Amino acid sequence: MAHFEEADLDESWRNAMKAELEMIEKNNTWKLMDRPFGKPIIGVKWVYKTKLNLDVSVQKNKARLVAKGYSQKLGIDYNETFAPVARLDTIRTLIALAAQKEWNLYQLDVKSAILNGVLKEEVYVEQAQGFVKENGEIRVYKLNKALYGLKAGFKKSPSEATLYVKTSEDSGILIVSLYVDDIVYTGSCPKLLEEFKNDMMQHYEMSDLGLLYHFLGMGVLQTDKHIFLHQKKYALKVIEKFGLKDCKSVVTPLVASERLCKEDGSEATNESEYRQIVGSLLYLTATRPEIMFASSLLARFMHNPTRKHMGTAKRVLRYIQGTLDVGIEFIKGKTATLIGYCDSDCAGSEDDRRSTSGYAFTLGSGMFSRASIKQNTVALSTAGAEYVSAAEATSQAKWLRFILEDFGEEQVEGTPILCDNTSAIAMAKNPVFHQKTRHISRKFHFIREAIQAKEIELTYCKSEDQITDILTKALS
C-alpha cells in the first residue's frame, strides 16, 4: 500500500489508521490549537506496512502517521535525534548466554514507541489526511512527546546504551535489550520475568509476543536442546528480488582461485543494483558467517563496479539459494567460557596489498561475534598481519568481557585468543621494542598490556583448527 487514497477504500487499512490516531490521543502526544504566527508547520503523511509472519502469512496491517522531518533544520528546529538501537553483537551475545543458561527469550512490541517521551523543542504539525477536524481545518497540533524509556530499578549498561540489567539476591537476574520499539528480555527467574512484563504493559501500550521467534528479520527457533538463528525468509526475498529464484546453486560463495580488483578489464555494470545486492548480503551475515568474507570483499567495489564484480555478487546469491536453511546454532547447557580466534591473510588485496583480519568469538557454542576487516596499513610480513589481527581481536574481547560482566558472567580468567602464527604470539608476549615491530602502529601494541593484565591469553592453535579461516579467505 503506497497512497492514502487507496488505503482509505480498504476497511482494514482505515481501521489501522484509526488505531494509530487513538494511540496518539491516548498518549497525550499532541494538542490541537490555532496556527501560531511565525512558526514552521511540519507536514505529516501516512505510511503503510503489512507485517508478515515467518511463513509469509499476514500478521497485521500497520499504519503510521509520520512527520516530514526532512523539512526541519539542524540547530533551528532540533538539536539531536536518537533511537535506542542495540548492536547485533549484543543481541547475539544475549542469545548465546540464554542458551548456555537454558533460559527462554521473550519479546514485547511497544505500540507507537515514538509517542512515549517528552519533547524539549517546540514542534507543530498539520492534521492527518482523512482525519481533519470539522470546522477546524486551519488548526494544527503542537507535539508534546517523542521517545520512550524504561522504569527505574534497572542498571543501564555502561558498555551498551540499549542494555538494562536488574539483579536481586532472591530473584536472580533480568536482562532487557531495546531495539527501537522491540524489547527482548530474558533471565533466571520466571516470576521476575512476569513482573517485568506486567509492569511494562501497565505503563505502556504493548503487545506481548511471547517467546522470541522473529527479530530484525531473523528467525529464532527455541527448543529444549538449542536456540537456532536463521534468515531464510529474508534470503528468499533477496533471491527473488534479483531474479535468481530458479537459479542453479553453487557449493561455495567464491571461486577460491579468483582475485578481484578495481580495474579488471570488464565493462561497468549497474551500480545501484550492485549496491543493493551487497547491502543485502551484508545484512545476511547476521546469521551467515561463512559469507562474511565474500560480502566484505564485494563491499570494497561499491564505486564503479564492473560486470565481473556483479557476476561474483550473484554467485554468492546462488550459494545462498542452495543453503537457505543454514544459520547459527547455540547449544543449551554449554559452559559460558569466552573463547576467541584470530587470523589474517597476507597482502590479499590486489589493489593496495593490504591484508584482511578476521576474528570470531564463541560462548560454549555458536560464533556469536565475528568480523572480517581489511587492515588500515600494509603489513611487511605474515607475522605483522597476524599481529594486527590479534590486536583487533583483543579490542573486541575487552568489550565482550564488559558486556558479559554486565550480564553477571564476569570472566575471571584471561580470555583465550587462538592464533596459528607463533611469530605473532612471540611478538605480542615480548614487551621489548625491536626491529620486527617498529613499523607497526603503536595503537596495536595495547595487546601486550592486555596480556600482562591477564585479560587475554594469546595461545597457539593448528591451522586446521582455525575457524576464522572462513573470514579471511575464500572457501574451497
Side-chain angles (χ1 to χ4, degrees):
M1 188 63 60
H3 303 290
F4 168 79
E5 290 75 14
E6 296 177 52
D8 198 40
L9 299 175
D10 189 303
E11 186 65 25
S12 64
W13 286 113
R14 187 77 186 173
N15 290 336
M17 289 187 284
K18 287 180 180 178
E20 172 73 354
L21 289 174
E22 287 173 2
M23 189 62 60
I24 289 172
E25 297 285 354
K26 185 175 181 178
N27 281 278
N28 192 29
T29 303
W30 59 21
K31 179 181 179 183
L32 190 64
M33 59 185 299
D34 293 331
R35 184 179 292 261
F37 177 75
K39 297 287 186 179
I41 309 300
I42 301 169
V44 296
K45 65 174 290 187
W46 288 105
V47 175
Y48 307 99
K49 183 177 181 181
T50 300
K51 301 195 80 171
L52 302 176
N53 295 311
L54 282 176
D55 59 3
V56 199
S57 61
V58 176
Q59 186 185 88
K60 64 177 177 178
N61 290 330
K62 199 168 187 177
R64 281 277 187 249
L65 185 65
V66 300
K68 298 178 180 178
Y70 54 79
S71 63
Q72 293 181 290
K73 294 182 179 180
L74 180 63
I76 298 175
D77 301 304
Y78 68 95
N79 294 318
E80 63 178 357
T81 58
F82 174 78
V85 178
R87 306 182 200 185
L88 283 175
D89 271 358
T90 303
I91 299 297
R92 287 193 298 257
T93 306
L94 182 59
I95 292 172
L97 179 68
Q100 185 272 328
K101 294 290 187 181
E102 300 187 55
W103 297 340
N104 285 328
L105 291 142
Y106 299 92
Q107 184 177 13
L108 294 171
D109 179 64
V110 185
K111 295 180 181 179
S112 302
I114 199 71
L115 310 177
N116 288 288
V118 178
L119 270 178
K120 295 180 181 178
E121 296 82 8
E122 193 173 350
V123 180
Y124 299 90
V125 298
E126 295 176 350
Q127 295 185 57
Q129 185 178 7
F131 296 88
V132 177
K133 300 291 185 182
E134 188 175 352
N135 300 323
E137 292 81 359
I138 63 171
R139 304 187 82 188
V140 296
Y141 284 108
K142 180 182 179 182
L143 293 184
N144 300 322
K145 294 188 175 183
L147 292 172
Y148 72 95
L150 282 176
K151 284 180 66 63
F154 284 84
K155 179 184 177 183
K156 186 176 181 180
S157 167
S159 309
E160 174 63 86
T162 61
L163 188 66
Y164 296 82
V165 180
K166 185 175 185 179
T167 56
S168 169
E169 292 184 4
D170 299 328
S171 304
I173 188 169
L174 170 65
I175 305 170
V176 179
S177 182
L178 306 178
Y179 199 102
V180 189
D181 61 349
D182 287 308
I183 296 177
V184 176
Y185 64 103
T186 187
S188 59
C189 177
K191 181 181 177 182
L192 201 60
L193 296 172
E194 188 68 22
E195 288 176 354
F196 167 75
K197 181 183 74 173
N198 294 337
D199 190 37
M200 293 299 290
M201 295 186 74
Q202 181 181 349
H203 289 85
Y204 302 101
E205 287 291 327
M206 292 196 174
S207 299
D208 178 14
L209 303 181
L211 283 174
L212 179 65
Y213 76 100
H214 188 227
F215 185 68
L216 303 179
M218 296 184 291
V220 184
L221 177 62
Q222 300 187 61
T223 71
D224 294 336
K225 295 182 178 180
H226 67 225
I227 300 176
F228 183 71
L229 294 183
H230 67 91
Q231 289 172 286
K232 183 176 180 179
K233 174 187 167 186
Y234 180 73
L236 283 168
K237 181 180 177 182
V238 171
I239 289 166
E240 187 173 350
K241 177 181 178 181
F242 297 108
L244 296 171
K245 185 177 180 181
D246 299 317
C247 70
K248 184 178 179 181
S249 63
V250 294
V251 295
T252 59
L254 299 174
V255 177
S257 60
E258 193 173 61
R259 296 288 182 268
L260 297 182
C261 59
K262 291 180 180 178
E263 302 294 337
D264 55 26
S266 61
E267 59 187 66
T269 190
N270 187 322
E271 189 172 291
S272 176
E273 182 183 9
Y274 179 81
R275 289 179 174 180
Q276 289 178 53
I277 292 175
V278 175
S280 299
L281 290 175
L282 288 170
Y283 190 67
L284 277 169
T285 62
T287 61
R288 302 293 297 268
E290 84 279 16
I291 66 165
M292 181 167 275
F293 172 71
S295 304
S296 300
L297 178 63
L298 291 167
R300 300 174 190 176
F301 308 105
M302 292 294 212
H303 183 62
N304 294 332
T306 65
R307 292 187 66 181
K308 184 176 181 180
H309 299 143
M310 179 67 82
T312 304
K314 289 191 174 181
R315 177 188 169 88
V316 182
L317 290 179
R318 290 169 59 200
Y319 168 77
I320 295 294
Q321 166 76 334
T323 56
L324 290 171
D325 294 320
V326 172
I328 307 174
E329 181 185 36
F330 299 100
I331 300 172
K332 290 191 173 182
K334 292 284 186 177
T335 305
T337 301
L338 182 65
I339 301 175
Y341 298 82
C342 67
D343 193 24
S344 173
D345 68 356
C346 186
S349 173
E350 294 290 315
D351 294 304
D352 53 20
R353 310 313 298 178
R354 293 182 184 178
S355 304
T356 299
S357 294
Y359 63 73
F361 289 88
T362 67
L363 194 67
S365 67
M367 193 188 292
F368 72 91
S369 177
R370 66 269 176 174
S372 177
I373 312 164
K374 184 172 155 181
Q375 295 180 3
N376 293 326
T377 58
V378 176
L380 300 184
S381 64
T382 303
E386 296 271 6
Y387 182 79
V388 171
S389 175
E392 289 168 341
T394 298
S395 177
Q396 182 71 358
K398 288 173 72 74
W399 179 76
L400 290 172
R401 286 170 65 90
F402 291 145
I403 291 293
L404 288 171
E405 185 177 352
D406 294 337
F407 288 165
E409 293 295 322
E410 183 180 0
Q411 302 294 294
V412 179
E413 302 293 332
T415 298
I417 297 180
L418 280 63
C419 175
D420 62 5
N421 188 286
T422 55
S423 296
I425 295 172
M427 288 161 58
K429 291 184 175 180
N430 181 4
V432 178
F433 181 84
H434 54 74
Q435 187 143 346
K436 286 187 178 180
T437 60
R438 66 182 180 182
H439 65 284
I440 298 175
S441 177
R442 281 175 291 182
K443 68 179 180 180
F444 296 114
H445 292 309
F446 84 102
I447 186 175
R448 295 172 175 172
E449 185 178 288
I451 291 173
Q452 291 175 356
K454 296 185 178 180
E455 293 174 326
I456 71 156
E457 182 182 349
L458 199 60
T459 58
Y460 175 76
C461 74
K462 296 179 181 179
S463 295
E464 53 265 32
D465 298 327
Q466 182 54 270
I467 65 173
T468 50
D469 261 352
I470 65 171
L471 303 176
T472 60
K473 304 169 186 69
L475 296 174
S476 58

